[in-house]
Amino acid sequence: MAERPDDNGEDTLLKRAAQYTKAPKVSHKVLTKQEREEILKEHRLKQAQAERLESTSTSGPIGRAWRKLQSSPDKVSLAMALVALGVVYGDIGTSPLYTMQTFLYGRGGMANTTDGSVIGMLSLVFWSMTLVTTVEYVLICMRADNHGEGGILALYSRLRRYGKWLAVPAMIGGAAFLADSVLTPAMSISSAVEGLTTLPGLERLFEENTGLTEMIALVILVCVFAVQSRGTESIGRVFGSIVLVWFLFIGVVGLVNMSNDWSVLRALNPVHGVAFLFSGQNVAGIALMGTVFLSITGAEALYSDMGHVGRGNIYLTWPFVNLSLVLCYFGQGAWIMDHAGDAAYMKSVPNPFFAMMTPGVRGVAVVLSVVAGIIASQALISGAFTIVSEATGLNWMPHMQVRYPSRTRGQLYIPMINAVLCVSTVSVLLIFHDSEHIAAAYGLALTVTMIMTSVLVTVYLWHLRSRFAAVLFAIVFPSIMVMFFVASMAKFLHGGWFTMMLMLAILGVMYTWDQGTMLERAQRRHMSPKECLPVLQRLHEDATVPYYSDNIVYLTSDQEMCRFDTDIFFSIFANHPKRARAWWAVSVETADEPFTREYSVETFGTDYVFRVRMRLGFKVSQSIPAYLHQIMHDLLRSGELPKQTTHYPKVDADPEIGPIRYVLIHKELMPESKVSSGGAMALRVKYAIRHVAGSPIKWFGLAPYDPVTEVQPLFLSTVRPPRLKRIM
């Protein structure tokens, strides 16, 4: 005889099911122990800062000015200034490794280099850094922020209400920045590793193994991408002190070499730069500006990473960084002028950065340059994460899993993008092999980004600042950037084609995703409660239709709470009706705070239709099944959800809640849809990208619960085909 249930009507195994499944449950606590400790630590830090500010309030004008600064968006701290050194300046900080060497390659070596050409080159570098990096980006662009976030897409988010056409420069600039993010790690690390070949004890080893530097660079690149999941804050703290040493080192070395020939200070006069650019000594012509551009390639990364470290900390650190770079460039120029006639440098092109040092100091320089190259890679990688996150928010890219390793919203990690960047960067190194050939492709796409940023900043100044300032800015800075672009186009056939193809591919993803999203939104419809509730009630009470599940949960991106999405309505009734004790439409919103856990519910006056919107902090795990169980229990206790029981064990081991079935709806284009060939292609590409990028099933932790993915036609206008003719 079968075992009878106990007096309570519950099977013994059912009551003990939880110890077998160990399914996740929501705690009664609103914060974990680690979250409480983190919040307490931050509270104590803010309290200490407030006490320090209070103590300076009576210290005269300086104290009052400091208090005002620390209460503004430009507040500074030594800790975050150190992080800024490690996160922001890596790219521009490694430019001295290859800029002057590229100049010598363009001149055909030391034999063809004159004092006038060196002074002219240094003058162009100095004034490009001053005008573009300091004036345009640090003093102007960084004031054009979006709630503290920088970068071209953050700026577009603030300006898009002023015209739909602004999406064009924003999309082009974002795609170009991502394309350049692929080349920067390969360029920075390979140029640093090649410094090993200048060490006396290792020269023969690298001569016998010509591919050794490439292999070392590949290993370092893979390691750089492997540590990205730790977050830019923890990485920045480690790198910050090293970068501080790096800039001190290159500044001192440059100053020592400058002391041998103070005539390089003539380069501070811009006349020398302009005269050399248009003189007969400049054999490269306007293409020389493509080499000069290498000295400012980190400016856009500086702007994009502003949200990671704060604008004030960049203001605090940039003067020191700028001085160190100028001293290093001028030191290299002094060395070139002093050794232009040396027979030892007639057959090969030296790297002035390493050559200007004694062998003993050169070993330290190689080690520091490799680390600096790693940091340069970090600056562009973190900037790429930011750009992709912003593009996702604009619906220009698929929603991918985002992790926030630190408490700061801007410091993020996207596993999919990290993997794509890693594969692409390694491919660049395998295709071009060394920094000399990578330099041919490097910087071209970034000039496009800078032009588009200049366009958006002009619009920002016109609408939000001064129209006179906007006109003046538009005359000066876009003109400079167009000149850099024309000069960089000389690299097109020598490697620039690769960067442009990469940029066009990324731009294609953005454009097709945007167009596909617009078509999908055009077909989205909502039903009022009075339109859909009567038929839902009829199905709910129709005992002739078996239950599909006690609870059917639809995951939706629709944030509408007061109406019903027709996609969900037709899913319930399409083919065989999906009868349930309760239907749930659940959406998830990511909050700007790290540990927010909130939800709201709309019942439409029923006890069988529930519209749920969860609001989760950006550091909170999106454990939708566990949170949904909590919401169901809350509604059971409030009486809004009728009592549910189950008589058989189930995976979630919760006998008070009936079985749950999760449903996700994907759309497909019908052959008869009235849509242009471009629109149809955009939708097909979007769905293909979504398939590769990953499913929301993984984002929301639904994979273990056997969710259902349904395909519905995209409800666009359709063409009515002619009637068939009956012949028998």
Side-chain angles (χ1 to χ4, degrees):
M1 181 180 293
E3 182 180 346
R4 296 180 60 83
D6 60 18
D7 295 337
N8 295 327
E10 296 177 348
D11 191 279
T12 304
L13 181 61
L14 182 59
K15 292 195 298 182
R16 298 173 58 194
Q19 65 180 290
Y20 294 104
T21 65
K22 301 296 182 184
K25 296 291 190 295
V26 173
S27 169
H28 292 291
K29 300 176 181 179
V30 295
L31 293 170
T32 66
K33 180 181 178 181
Q34 293 80 4
E35 291 171 355
R36 287 196 301 271
E37 291 175 350
E38 205 168 336
I39 291 174
L40 181 61
K41 180 180 178 182
E42 183 180 8
H43 174 72
R44 288 173 177 170
L45 180 62
K46 288 182 178 179
Q47 189 176 27
Q49 291 174 343
E51 291 174 355
R52 286 196 297 270
L53 286 176
E54 188 67 29
S55 66
T56 59
S57 61
T58 58
S59 303
I62 296 178
R64 288 191 293 272
W66 175 254
R67 182 181 177 86
K68 183 179 180 180
L69 174 65
Q70 292 300 83
S71 302
S72 72
D74 296 336
K75 63 182 179 180
V76 300
S77 72
L78 292 179
M80 285 307 295
L82 194 64
V83 172
L85 285 173
V87 172
V88 174
Y89 298 113
D91 187 14
I92 200 167
T94 54
S95 296
L97 288 172
Y98 45 78
T99 300
M100 295 305 291
Q101 184 183 31
T102 305
F103 165 69
L104 291 180
Y105 275 120
R107 298 288 299 179
M110 296 279 283
N112 302 315
T113 304
T114 63
D115 288 3
S117 64
V118 174
I119 296 296
M121 174 66 182
L122 291 177
S123 181
L124 291 171
V125 167
F126 174 80
W127 285 103
S128 294
M129 290 177 60
T130 301
L131 290 175
V132 176
T133 310
T134 302
V135 177
E136 180 181 5
Y137 275 89
V138 175
L139 297 182
I140 299 177
C141 291
M142 287 180 59
R143 308 304 301 181
D145 66 314
N146 185 19
H147 301 291
E149 291 291 335
I152 189 168
L153 296 189
L155 181 57
Y156 165 73
S157 297
R158 183 170 180 178
L159 298 176
R160 55 181 169 176
R161 67 179 181 273
Y162 297 115
K164 293 183 179 180
W165 68 273
L166 294 173
V168 176
M171 198 175 287
I172 294 173
F177 182 88
L178 288 175
D180 202 76
S181 299
V182 172
L183 272 78
T184 296
M187 180 68 180
S188 300
I189 291 178
S190 62
S191 61
V193 170
E194 287 163 13
L196 293 171
T197 62
T198 66
L199 299 180
L202 299 177
E203 288 179 347
R204 185 171 181 179
L205 174 65
F206 285 98
E207 287 176 0
E208 296 175 353
N209 301 274
T210 54
L212 186 56
T213 55
E214 184 178 347
M215 293 303 299
I216 295 174
L218 283 173
V219 172
I220 294 175
L221 275 173
V222 173
C223 292
V224 167
F225 285 102
V227 301
Q228 290 303 308
S229 60
R230 295 179 60 86
T232 56
E233 184 174 10
S234 58
I235 293 173
R237 286 174 179 168
V238 174
F239 284 169
S241 52
I242 299 174
V243 172
L244 178 62
V245 174
W246 166 256
F247 282 118
L248 286 171
F249 176 80
I250 65 174
V252 170
V253 170
L255 183 61
V256 169
N257 280 271
M258 276 180 61
S259 64
N260 297 324
D261 192 345
W262 291 105
S263 65
V264 293
L265 292 177
R266 289 181 293 158
L268 296 176
N269 185 347
V271 173
H272 290 290
V274 176
F276 172 64
L277 180 63
F278 297 103
S279 72
Q281 293 185 56
N282 177 22
V283 294
I286 193 67
L288 175 68
M289 296 305 294
T291 301
V292 174
F293 183 76
L294 296 176
S295 65
I296 60 170
T297 51
E300 186 70 29
L302 182 149
Y303 181 39
S304 297
D305 284 337
M306 181 176 70
H308 294 212
V309 298
R311 184 169 56 206
N313 295 302
I314 296 178
Y315 286 158
L316 178 66
T317 52
W318 170 245
F320 161 69
V321 172
N322 189 34
L323 177 61
S324 298
L325 291 171
V326 170
L327 291 175
C328 185
Y329 282 122
F330 279 37
Q332 291 184 54
W335 181 89
I336 294 172
M337 291 165 59
D338 289 343
H339 295 81
D342 288 3
Y345 302 113
M346 294 298 104
K347 294 183 179 180
S348 61
V349 178
N351 187 332
F353 178 81
F354 294 109
M356 70 177 177
M357 306 173 196
T358 62
V361 176
R362 195 177 301 160
V364 177
V366 170
V367 174
L368 285 176
S369 64
V370 170
V371 178
I374 293 172
I375 297 168
S377 305
Q378 176 61 48
L380 265 292
I381 294 169
S382 60
F385 291 156
T386 303
I387 287 288
V388 170
S389 178
E390 291 166 347
T392 300
L394 294 168
N395 279 307
W396 290 353
M397 278 194 170
H399 290 266
M400 290 171 280
Q401 184 183 24
V402 179
R403 299 177 188 171
Y404 299 89
S406 61
R407 274 189 57 83
T408 305
R409 181 81 160 92
Q411 296 172 6
L412 48 88
Y413 167 67
I414 306 177
M416 172 65 72
I417 297 302
N418 192 59
V420 171
L421 284 177
C422 181
V423 172
S424 302
T425 305
V426 168
S427 300
V428 166
L429 194 56
L430 293 175
I431 293 172
F432 292 100
H433 303 295
D434 54 46
S435 61
E436 178 187 351
H437 293 92
I438 298 175
Y442 186 54
L444 178 57
L446 199 55
T447 59
V448 177
T449 302
M450 289 184 169
I451 292 171
M452 299 305 151
T453 299
S454 298
V455 171
L456 293 184
V457 172
T458 301
V459 175
Y460 170 85
L461 293 173
W462 180 269
H463 288 284
L464 300 176
R465 297 294 180 182
S466 164
R467 294 194 172 184
F468 173 76
V471 173
L472 183 62
F473 182 91
I475 292 173
V476 176
F477 295 105
S479 302
I480 294 174
M481 297 318 305
V482 168
M483 180 176 62
F484 278 127
F485 175 75
V486 172
S488 297
M489 281 301 292
K491 303 178 180 181
F492 185 82
L493 295 178
H494 300 283
W497 59 268
F498 179 86
T499 312
M500 297 303 288
M501 285 181 60
L502 195 58
M503 184 192 80
L504 291 174
I506 298 170
L507 183 62
V509 170
M510 288 183 171
Y511 177 77
T512 53
W513 192 271
D514 178 56
Q515 292 300 304
T517 301
M518 289 174 59
L519 285 170
E520 288 181 334
R521 285 180 174 176
Q523 68 87 43
R524 175 172 277 173
R525 299 291 184 271
H526 291 92
M527 304 176 71
S528 66
K530 65 179 182 181
E531 292 174 323
C532 62
L533 288 182
V535 67
L536 286 171
Q537 182 179 4
R538 186 188 312 163
L539 177 60
H540 182 256
E541 297 172 352
D542 189 352
T544 64
V545 179
Y547 283 116
Y548 183 78
S549 182
D550 284 12
N551 298 278
I552 303 178
V553 179
Y554 288 92
L555 270 294
T556 176
S557 60
D558 182 25
Q559 298 294 326
E560 178 65 57
M561 289 288 288
C562 299
R563 294 181 296 170
F564 210 68
D565 190 340
T566 55
D567 289 343
I568 297 176
F569 181 83
F570 285 111
S571 172
I572 293 173
F573 290 98
N575 300 322
H576 185 75
K578 298 182 180 69
R579 186 182 175 215
R581 298 185 190 277
W583 293 282
W584 305 77
V586 180
S587 61
V588 180
E589 176 186 353
T590 302
D592 289 330
E593 301 79 26
F595 303 124
T596 299
R597 293 181 178 88
E598 301 171 345
Y599 75 91
S600 54
V601 178
E602 172 61 55
T603 64
F604 303 102
T606 73
D607 60 0
Y608 53 86
V609 177
F610 299 91
R611 179 68 179 86
V612 178
R613 181 166 60 199
M614 299 184 195
R615 190 168 180 268
L616 303 178
F618 63 82
K619 287 198 70 178
V620 171
S621 173
Q622 297 191 346
S623 302
I624 302 305
Y627 288 130
L628 191 58
H629 270 78
Q630 177 216 319
I631 294 171
M632 289 178 173
H633 278 280
D634 290 350
L635 296 177
L636 281 171
R637 285 191 292 270
S638 67
E640 295 170 271
L641 178 66
K643 183 179 180 181
Q644 295 185 0
T645 57
T646 180
H647 300 289
Y648 299 100
K650 56 193 182 80
V651 172
D652 58 37
D654 190 346
E656 297 181 12
I657 300 294
I660 302 174
R661 200 69 189 267
Y662 295 94
V663 181
L664 287 88
I665 299 174
H666 286 176
K667 311 294 285 187
E668 283 292 341
L669 192 65
M670 292 182 290
E672 298 85 5
S673 295
K674 287 183 179 179
V675 61
S676 65
S677 57
M681 178 61 69
L683 285 168
R684 294 189 185 99
V685 172
K686 176 177 179 177
Y687 298 148
I689 295 170
R690 183 178 62 191
H691 178 74
V692 174
S695 168
I697 291 174
K698 293 183 179 179
W699 309 340
F700 297 126
L702 301 179
Y705 298 93
D706 191 26
V708 175
T709 300
E710 289 188 353
V711 176
Q712 283 192 12
L714 196 63
F715 295 114
L716 298 171
S717 300
T718 56
V719 177
R720 299 181 67 180
R723 294 175 59 83
L724 293 173
K725 178 181 179 181
R726 181 173 177 176
I727 59 175
M728 287 184 64

